[in-house]
Amino acid sequence: MLSTPVIHHRNERYYVAIRLTVAPHDIPTTLPQLYPELYSWLKKQEITPDGPPFFQYLMMREDGRLQVEVGVPVPEAVAGDHRVIGGLFPAGEYATLIHTGDYRHLMEAHMALDTWIGEAGHCDKEMIPGEGTAFGSRTEFYLTDEREVPDPAQWQTEVAFFLPAKDSRSARLLPITL
């Protein structure tokens, strides 16, 4: 089930993440396994998460693989290290909707939001010759803790697309790392 999409302004928000490139069919088995490593890193740094965990889709490469960040919001800028990077969701307009249900159906939420923003005259992606399609920030925030709510039919995920200003250039679509 999908909520009605909305566009609203968000302030900038810091995060830490592990960035990797993965085939779409490997997402369910590869990405969730990175959270224990990320939370362990945060604990060692004595940093408390400041929001729900997320997957951020940065680019669809020409070979079909996705550049993704597995991350967690944090209260302030973090430099990261060789494995964990610090990043920033920029301030600006975001199109969002809430998906309720199993993660297997999240692609439908992405497709619905992509169609909706296109019909509203917005664009959050750009073709980069020789590389693929860059996204402003297509992020899935996992609002439900599966350990507390084991029924997938009740899981809620916010799908959020950053909408760069219409006069911005492709540099705005590249991820902001610290």
Side-chain angles (χ1 to χ4, degrees):
M1 181 169 64
L2 302 177
S3 69
T4 301
V6 296
I7 294 176
H8 54 93
H9 181 84
R10 289 187 173 177
N11 295 326
E12 67 182 23
R13 190 169 193 191
Y14 296 104
Y15 66 85
V16 295
I18 297 172
R19 184 179 295 168
L20 68 155
T21 301
V22 64
H25 66 270
D26 290 333
I27 289 171
T29 57
T30 302
L31 301 186
Q33 284 33 295
L34 296 174
Y35 282 121
E37 177 183 352
L38 192 57
Y39 281 105
S40 175
W41 187 90
L42 285 167
K43 187 174 182 178
K44 287 179 187 171
Q45 306 301 318
E46 298 181 355
I47 299 171
T48 302
D50 190 34
F54 63 84
F55 293 166
Q56 179 176 210
Y57 300 92
L58 304 171
M59 177 178 282
M60 170 72 83
R61 300 208 177 271
E62 288 184 335
D63 65 5
R65 294 181 310 140
L66 293 160
Q67 183 180 35
V68 182
E69 291 179 346
V70 175
V72 178
V74 293
E76 57 191 32
V78 176
D81 61 20
H82 67 281
R83 175 77 165 152
V84 175
I85 62 168
L88 174 72
F89 291 113
E93 302 299 308
Y94 286 79
T96 66
L97 60 73
I98 302 294
H99 169 269
T100 302
D102 197 303
Y103 302 144
R104 293 179 293 144
H105 305 292
L106 279 169
M107 179 57 75
E108 296 164 17
H110 282 263
M111 291 170 44
L113 194 54
D114 186 63
T115 298
W116 186 83
I117 66 168
E119 290 171 354
H122 297 279
C123 183
D124 78 319
K125 58 189 170 193
E126 181 173 346
M127 293 294 298
I128 299 176
E131 292 187 42
T133 303
F135 304 116
S137 168
R138 290 188 170 196
T139 308
E140 298 168 356
F141 290 96
Y142 301 101
L143 306 177
T144 305
D145 186 333
E146 299 170 28
R147 297 167 298 188
E148 295 175 10
V149 181
D151 180 4
Q154 296 180 30
W155 295 346
Q156 290 200 315
T157 307
E158 179 191 51
V159 178
F161 293 3
F162 173 66
L163 302 174
K166 291 184 181 184
D167 62 350
S168 69
R169 311 248 339 151
S170 64
R172 294 287 312 271
L173 292 179
L174 300 176
I176 300 171
T177 54
L178 306 175

